[in-house]
């Protein structure tokens, strides 16, 4: 599996990692009503839930970009660079979100969004 496919896999797993952060070591977790329990959380747990939601949104956009890059036969070298940059920006985004570093979080969100948008244009025009 090449780097592009690994990046797609990592992007798909990121929301699950955020869910794990929000629940790890928690007392009183209610698996029968997880959304109610999560909605009542505060601090880093609540921020991890928000990061999870944003990761799902980013994954949808990233996947659409990858479909376009595949359809246009984007060169693999450039695509590998862009997908790696997206993953790095998204990992930093999650760290900043959970740690409540809001300005850095916005910076990394913007970078991830920008790199993902660039993937749409990585191949030649159809």
């Amino acid at each position: 599996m090449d780097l592009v496919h690994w990046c797609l896999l990592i992007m798909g797993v990121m929301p699950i990692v955020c869910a794990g952060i929000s629940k790890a070591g928690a007392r009183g977790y209610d698996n029968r009503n997880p959304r109610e329990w999560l909605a009542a959380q505060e601090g880093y747990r609540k921020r991890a839930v928000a990061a999870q939601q944003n990761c799902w949104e980013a994954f949808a956009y990233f996947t659409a970009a990858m479909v376009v890059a595949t359809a246009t036969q984007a060169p693999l070298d450039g695509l590998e660079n862009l997908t790696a940059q997206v993953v790095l920006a998204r990992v930093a985004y999650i760290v900043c979100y959970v740690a409540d570093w809001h300005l850095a979080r916005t910076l990394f969100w913007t970078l991830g969004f920008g790199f993902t948008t660039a993937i749409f244009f990585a191949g030649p025009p159809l």
Side-chain angles (χ1 to χ4, degrees):
M1 191 156 69
D2 59 34
L3 180 61
V4 171
H5 291 103
W6 279 109
C7 289
L8 186 59
L9 176 64
I10 292 166
M11 288 290 289
V13 171
M14 279 185 188
I16 310 307
V17 170
C18 291
I21 292 168
S22 69
K23 298 172 188 172
R27 298 197 195 289
Y29 175 72
D30 183 0
N31 199 44
R32 291 184 187 269
N33 297 300
R35 291 178 190 241
E36 284 181 33
W37 183 86
L38 287 168
Q41 298 308 299
E42 296 296 326
Y44 81 91
R45 292 185 193 284
K46 187 173 188 171
R47 292 189 300 274
V49 172
Q52 176 194 21
Q53 293 166 343
N54 186 268
C55 283
W56 285 121
E57 296 161 2
F59 182 59
Y61 188 56
F62 182 76
T63 302
M66 295 300 294
V67 168
V68 170
T70 301
T72 60
Q73 299 179 345
L76 188 57
D77 290 348
L79 198 54
E80 286 180 335
N81 182 40
L82 286 170
T83 57
Q85 296 296 337
V86 171
V87 168
L88 292 173
R90 295 298 303 174
V91 168
Y93 169 84
I94 292 168
V95 169
C96 292
Y97 211 143
V98 172
D100 200 20
W101 300 332
H102 64 98
L103 294 176
R105 180 188 89 211
T106 300
L107 170 68
F108 287 113
W109 181 92
T110 303
L111 287 171
F113 183 79
F115 290 130
T116 302
T117 301
I119 292 171
F120 279 98
F121 303 99
L126 288 175

